[in-house]
Amino acid sequence: MKSIAKICTAERTARLPERERTMSNTERTIDIVTVGEVLIDLTQTGVDERGVPTLAANPGGAPANVAVAASRLGTKTAFVGCIGDDAFGGLLRSTLENDNVDTSGLVVHGTIPTTLAVVTVDDSGERSFSFYRRPGADICLERSAIPEELIANAPILHFGSVSLTDDPSRTATLEAAKDAKDAGAIITYDPNYRPALWLSEEDAVRWMREPLGMVDVLKISDEETTLLSGFKAPEAAAEALTAKGIRLVLVTLGPDGVYYRYAPKDGGEVLTGTVPGFQVQVADTNGAGDTFFGAFLSKLCKRENGLAGFTAAELEADLTFANRAASLTTSKPGAIPAMPTLEEVEAAL
């Protein structure tokens, strides 16, 4: 049987033609570049009169979600990833462009279809996932297809762990992050653990921990603390992770908000605390974590000092903003369709 990497590279991928790159002006400043998967979330919306589940085709994929979330909040973002040459791929491309996300790093695979994730939602709004992805186009991203100017000029480069499950996207993501780090970017990482995508938990732990040495800001959920750090409690996990050189660790706690640990590079005072969340009627938690991180990064990229010099009050204000944005996303169904604008978040605050 051919490896996924060989299947992906059997057909040459290409960047979007010039006529289709509506946001590809490299002279404009990009605040955040996100790298990884963009896919279709086939999300359960209910059942019909026969009891058969009904599904809506929502655009999704964590790094793409972050790019859209930050863009809606007034930040200039770019997305790097791979789609299929099909109707779903076209929907994803237009979704990004309609939200003013630069798509100069979006490539199209000629034979592998756009990746699908089936998202079922229980009565409390919690999700479960299954994937049609062996292979799917998102895995087929190659480093050679990523525009060098995006990586070289990225103030913040963000990625997740879904693109680390298989090559060539694994190598492309890690090399892009390393190159951006060498060029002076802040590297941010959100390792979403999806058991169905990994050969084993041991394989997931190995590759999800692989990038930690070059990460500046890490967001994990309280379900992933042990996988990333070996410790369950958010406080112990964050301490272990900042000991690896990560400057800011954010442990999201669902409706209870976020625990943070900030360890300045200059050896200054370590800041820790919990910023409470906002209580809302939950319709769907899909995309909430991505909205949270996109909202926080939209604040981070506007700081003159980057990650340096945070006070507790400044950090907690930015995290309160991010919590509010995430809560608004959970109050509506879908991921990208539910993400709020800057005006909506400010009004809710």
Side-chain angles (χ1 to χ4, degrees), residues 54 56 72 80 121 129 141 144 159 165 190 201 203 227 260 283:
T54 55
R72 288 192 183 176
V80 173
V121 183
F129 293 82
L141 178 68
S144 60
F159 66 100
T165 55
D190 180 7
E201 184 175 306
D203 190 51
L227 288 173
Y260 68 87

Side-chain angles (χ1 to χ4, degrees), residues 220-234 237 241 251:
I220 55 176
S221 73
D222 53 354
E223 299 172 345
E224 294 152 350
T225 51
T226 303
L227 288 173
L228 269 294
S229 72
F231 297 93
K232 175 61 177 175
L241 290 162
V251 183

Side-chain angles (χ1 to χ4, degrees), residues 30-33 148-157 180 183-186:
I30 298 296
D31 299 311
I32 303 167
V33 175
E148 294 296 334
E149 64 272 15
L150 280 181
I151 303 304
N153 298 319
I156 296 175
L157 185 134
I186 294 173

